[in-house]
Amino acid sequence: MELLLFLLLGAAIGILSGFFGIGGGIILTPLLLILGYAPSTAIVLSLLLTLGSTVTGTFAHLRQNNFHLRDAGTIGLAGIIGSAAVTPVVFWMEQHSGADIIISTLYIVLLLLFAIQFLKPTKKIIRETPVPHASFYKLVAIGGAAGILSSLMGVSGGFLLTPLLMGWVRFPLKQAIGTSIAAATLIVLGGITSYFISGTQAPLGLGVVLIIGALIGSPLGASFLNLFSTHFVKKSLGSFYAAVATSVFLKTTHHEQLSLLLLALFTTGLIGLFVYQKTVQRQTKDCP
């Protein structure tokens, strides 16, 4: 039963990952912390899940021509360096009983900041043509920051990459999402390697099940992206960040059941909307 639940969890998170260009750990890490897993174990399992969703999501976005390999590679390599540098810090914090509260606080602050960015009214016209040449130094800075957060929080860094690529590098939304998830694949590989070198004791069987679920869900999420407008994707992503931040806050105030309920309702609601829109599109095509 536990394996089945983790399989379904991986598939659901994979759908959101493919749609939003985030690795999935942003949901799984706080969820596993709520369920009582040690921070290092939660992070490794989240990175394993993220690997499955980012790999399949990368191929899906590559077919849709949503990113440049040079930009994604630059961000990814910088992220690997940042990830390797911070892994020993997590084990040190865990030994001193400070990892849980620090990681939770980081989630709340960063998620709320990005939620505000996506939910606030847009005054400028969004550029939808791809950016041909992004600044190398900006890409390195973004990648390094994402790598640090990846190993510190058990995420791909996609929730940081997507808004920074839009706001700082000026990528259009879909190019930012595609570049984010491609770079995240390299960052996550670096993070997983760092944790195993450091001697993690995470249950690998559950990690494999999560990966299988993500491999199923992520391509579906990427296919749903073109069914919705840029405005809808932005507002949904902002709402998603706000919901996860609220859930983590509830967990830190010892309202674990309410936290889990919020995550479950919001996630199933979004996936239900994706499926409904896909059904409407198919029915429209079938009509003579």
Side-chain angles (χ1 to χ4, degrees):
M1 180 61 69
E2 184 182 31
L3 293 179
L4 177 60
L5 289 175
F6 269 73
L7 179 67
L8 294 175
L9 179 62
I13 295 176
I15 291 174
L16 296 179
S17 171
F19 187 81
F20 288 128
I22 56 179
I26 195 173
I27 307 172
L28 187 60
T29 299
L31 178 60
L32 293 178
L33 290 175
I34 292 169
L35 293 174
Y37 285 85
S40 61
T41 299
I43 290 172
V44 173
L45 289 176
S46 294
L47 288 175
L48 288 170
L49 162 75
T50 299
L51 180 62
S53 60
T54 55
V55 167
T56 52
T58 295
F59 285 111
H61 284 286
L62 181 61
R63 288 195 298 270
Q64 298 176 26
N65 196 30
N66 281 342
F67 67 88
H68 296 301
L69 288 174
R70 167 193 171 272
D71 295 343
T74 300
I75 295 170
L77 291 175
I80 289 174
I81 296 173
S83 176
V86 81
T87 299
V89 177
V90 174
F91 283 100
W92 180 86
M93 289 192 302
E94 189 171 280
Q95 292 172 359
H96 292 79
S97 303
D100 195 344
I101 188 63
I102 291 175
I103 292 171
S104 296
T105 302
L106 279 174
Y107 264 104
I108 294 170
V109 173
L110 290 175
L111 288 171
L112 287 179
L113 287 175
F114 291 136
I116 292 171
Q117 175 182 335
F118 282 104
L119 290 173
K120 67 182 180 181
T122 303
K123 297 181 179 180
K124 296 181 180 180
I125 298 174
I126 299 174
R127 184 191 339 184
E128 290 298 334
T129 55
V131 177
H133 298 292
S135 166
F136 172 79
Y137 298 103
K138 287 183 178 181
L139 296 178
V140 169
I142 291 172
I148 291 172
L149 289 180
S150 175
S151 282
L152 188 60
M153 302 170 69
V155 296
S156 67
F159 80 101
L160 175 72
L161 292 173
T162 299
L164 286 182
L165 287 174
M166 289 180 58
W168 195 24
V169 185
R170 300 298 180 186
F171 280 178
L173 179 63
K174 292 181 181 179
Q175 186 184 357
I177 288 175
T179 303
S180 168
I181 203 166
T185 300
L186 295 176
I187 293 174
V188 170
L189 280 170
I192 291 173
T193 301
S194 296
Y195 272 95
F196 278 108
I197 290 175
S198 300
T200 181
Q201 301 297 318
L204 298 183
L206 294 180
V208 172
V209 172
L210 287 169
I211 290 176
I212 294 173
L215 290 173
I216 297 171
S218 187
L220 290 174
S223 69
F224 290 144
L225 182 60
N226 289 327
L227 300 176
F228 297 91
S229 67
T230 296
H231 176 77
F232 174 85
V233 176
K234 282 188 64 179
K235 299 306 178 186
S236 297
L237 184 53
S239 300
F240 176 70
Y241 285 159
V244 177
T246 304
S247 177
V248 175
F249 174 77
L250 289 172
K251 178 258 180 186
T252 61
T253 55
H254 306 292
H255 294 85
E256 286 84 358
Q257 291 184 343
L258 187 57
S259 174
L260 287 171
L261 180 63
L262 176 61
L263 276 180
L265 289 176
F266 197 88
T267 301
T268 54
L270 271 179
I271 294 175
L273 181 60
F274 298 161
V275 174
Y276 171 77
Q277 189 67 19
K278 187 72 172 180
T279 303
V280 170
Q281 183 197 48
R282 287 179 177 175
Q283 290 177 347
T284 302
K285 287 183 178 180
D286 293 340
C287 290

